[in-house]
Amino acid sequence: MSEAKTCNTVKKYSYLLIFFCWLAYSSSYFGKLSVTANINQIEEALDLSHSQSGLIGTLLFIFYGTFQIINGFLVKRYNLRLVIFLGLFLSGIINLVVGFTNDFVLVAVLWSLNGIALSFLWTAIIRILAETLTKEYMAKSSIVIGTTVPFGTFVVYGLSAIFVKLGIFRAIFYFSGIAMPLIAILWFVFIPKITSKIPKDAEVETQKEMLTATKTEIKGIYLSVFCFFIIAIFVNLIKDGLNTWAPVIFKNEYGVSDSLSIVLTLALPCVAVFANFIAVMLHKKIPDFVTQVAIMFILSGVLVVAVLFALEYRIVAITVMCFVIIFVAISSCNSVVTSVFPLFMKTRINSGKIAGITNGFCYLGSALSSYVLGSIAEANGWNVVFYVILGVCVMVTLIWFIYLILRSKINKSVS
């Protein structure tokens, strides 16, 4: 009976830990996407060009991505409870201030600081899950945490559509400025009580399994890691490129209203909620993570061709459908490189470190998606942007071919 009680306690508090990690990272998107979701309104309110508005998002992504990589190396030294609290709290305050300013330079500076504040969250969350949860809860946590991006995106874009319709688009910054500090306080108060109820056997479990790793496994894993560092840039170039510029594309190319363009863009996070589940389920059919990601890029490349056709003939339904499928496919890739792979490999690698570095590279791609894609669209139109995205899909396919050749050589060298 005592053993059953202990088992139930571990189960209860493991799920509570997963929930609080989910809540913390979901809310980070309130502070991260408030500019992106209202890019049309910000351009009009501050009298900015596409490249100027894209620069604001680019600065966040550059600082976020750079500090993610740094945090990946330093995360072992952090007080996880404190850094997650500070990251959420400071981002909320920055959003609040941005909501009251019309100065482009000040917004750009504050959004850069916002990127630094938010950069501490992901590595810390992956580390606390990897070190606290046992293997039994790892797949569950991976699926749940993967829904944070679509959920946070849905909340921000959904509220933004309402606020734009009401003529008060700045209200999204006030919402983030209130909600994020409140969630930060909840995290700070409850997380020590939750983690203290879970036995500290996950690290012991990890160390035991690391001793059984063969040289072939280690070489193969680090080859995958190296590939993911490169592919991660392309993942968010496409994912955040669609997320950032879809409202502008719908407005400029199809003449839909601001609020309707945001609503159409909402279709992306609505279906992307299944991306992490798809990533985990696909792994059962395709055990090789790099191959799994490559197949999603090949699918996306085919759909990009359909988008080019739809833009040529102004068929909005095909554009929306292709955007949705591409977003789900690439979001599943994002889940693989930033959470599923690091958590599934926690007995072979430092999960927090790898998750932080790959997420950092993802956001370098996000930086390119904001400024570079915006500049290309401004100079050459959206058709050229999608040719660039098609080229990215081809590049990932080539990386996959090289990976297969090198993986084959590793296996042969041991056998």
Side-chain angles (χ1 to χ4, degrees):
M1 187 69 180
S2 172
E3 190 175 333
K5 272 189 174 182
T6 302
C7 188
N8 287 334
T9 300
V10 170
K11 182 178 180 180
K12 174 185 173 182
Y13 286 98
S14 292
Y15 283 132
L16 272 175
L17 175 63
I18 293 169
F19 169 74
F20 268 89
C21 288
W22 175 88
L23 181 63
Y25 201 67
S26 292
S27 67
S28 74
Y29 276 80
F30 303 166
K32 192 184 295 177
L33 295 179
S34 44
V35 163
T36 304
N38 294 276
I39 198 160
N40 283 324
Q41 291 68 44
I42 287 169
E43 285 181 354
E44 291 171 7
L46 277 65
D47 192 24
L48 305 177
S49 65
H50 287 339
S51 55
Q52 283 179 308
S53 64
L55 180 61
I56 297 172
T58 297
L59 288 170
L60 179 140
F61 293 140
I62 287 173
F63 281 94
Y64 183 92
T66 303
F67 277 83
Q68 273 275 352
I69 295 169
I70 294 169
N71 291 331
F73 287 102
L74 299 178
V75 68
K76 280 284 185 182
R77 301 171 183 269
Y78 292 160
N79 179 318
L80 302 180
R81 176 194 182 198
L82 183 61
V83 295
I84 292 172
F85 166 77
L86 288 175
L88 287 174
F89 195 91
L90 291 173
S91 178
I93 299 303
I94 289 168
N95 268 266
L96 204 57
V97 176
V98 167
F100 287 102
T101 184
N102 285 313
D103 185 89
F104 168 64
V105 175
L106 181 57
V107 171
V109 170
L110 287 170
W111 223 235
S112 301
L113 295 174
N114 192 30
I116 296 172
L118 291 171
S119 71
F120 289 87
L121 299 178
W122 185 246
T123 49
I125 284 171
I126 292 295
R127 183 190 146 195
I128 200 171
L129 289 171
E131 291 184 357
T132 310
L133 297 178
T134 57
K135 199 172 182 179
E136 179 186 353
Y137 297 98
M138 207 51 62
K140 295 182 180 73
S141 70
S142 180
I143 291 171
V144 172
I145 293 301
T147 66
T148 54
V149 178
F151 176 79
T153 304
F154 179 80
V155 170
V156 174
Y157 275 79
L159 288 175
S160 293
I162 295 169
F163 295 147
V164 167
K165 193 71 177 172
L166 295 173
I168 49 170
F169 82 90
R170 291 178 186 271
I172 191 64
F173 296 102
Y174 311 143
F175 165 78
S176 301
I178 295 169
M180 293 179 75
L182 287 177
I183 291 169
I185 292 167
L186 287 174
W187 169 274
F188 195 78
V189 171
F190 289 104
I191 211 66
K193 299 174 184 178
I194 293 168
T195 53
S196 66
K197 298 290 184 179
I198 303 172
K200 302 293 180 184
D201 57 356
E203 280 192 84
V204 175
E205 177 188 87
T206 298
Q207 288 165 5
K208 283 180 181 177
E209 292 195 38
M210 285 186 94
L211 295 173
T212 66
T214 65
K215 284 186 178 180
T216 312
E217 283 181 287
I218 297 300
K219 284 182 180 178
I221 288 166
Y222 279 100
L223 176 60
S224 298
V225 168
F226 181 74
C227 289
F228 284 151
F229 287 167
I230 301 169
I231 292 171
I233 298 172
F234 299 138
V235 166
N236 271 33
L237 173 67
I238 297 176
K239 184 177 75 71
D240 285 334
L242 287 181
N243 219 32
T244 300
W245 295 113
V248 179
I249 292 169
F250 289 132
K251 181 180 180 181
N252 291 354
E253 298 297 318
Y254 297 104
V256 302
S257 66
D258 285 340
S259 57
L260 181 57
S261 68
I262 295 173
V263 169
L264 286 174
T265 308
L266 264 179
L268 304 182
C270 278
V271 292
V273 73
F274 301 106
N276 222 61
F277 177 77
I278 290 168
V280 173
M281 292 302 104
L282 266 180
H283 177 58
K284 293 180 180 178
K285 301 290 183 182
I286 309 169
D288 189 295
F289 284 110
V290 178
T291 298
Q292 179 181 332
V293 167
I295 289 170
M296 293 294 102
F297 269 90
I298 292 168
L299 170 64
S300 298
V302 172
L303 292 168
V304 167
V305 174
V307 170
L308 287 165
F309 171 82
L311 284 171
E312 179 71 23
Y313 293 97
R314 296 293 187 268
I315 308 172
V316 68
I318 291 178
T319 304
V320 172
M321 182 181 70
C322 290
F323 276 15
V324 165
I325 300 172
I326 292 170
F327 196 79
V328 172
I330 299 301
S331 292
S332 77
C333 296
N334 179 272
S335 296
V336 168
V337 301
T338 61
S339 63
V340 178
F341 177 77
L343 286 173
F344 272 59
M345 295 292 152
K346 75 165 197 158
T347 60
R348 300 289 187 265
I349 57 176
N350 181 332
S351 295
K353 181 178 180 180
I354 298 302
I357 296 171
T358 52
N359 207 30
F361 279 110
C362 278
Y363 278 92
L364 293 180
S366 299
L368 294 173
S369 76
S370 290
Y371 183 71
V372 175
L373 295 186
S375 298
I376 291 171
E378 204 164 48
N380 304 290
W382 290 107
N383 269 17
V384 177
V385 168
F386 284 101
Y387 278 115
V388 170
I389 293 173
L390 182 59
V392 164
C393 294
V394 172
M395 285 180 69
V396 171
T397 305
L398 291 174
I399 290 169
W400 176 49
F401 285 144
I402 295 168
Y403 163 81
L404 291 176
I405 292 167
L406 293 176
R407 190 65 192 254
S408 176
K409 286 184 177 179
I410 289 171
N411 292 338
K412 282 180 182 176
S413 69
V414 176
S415 60

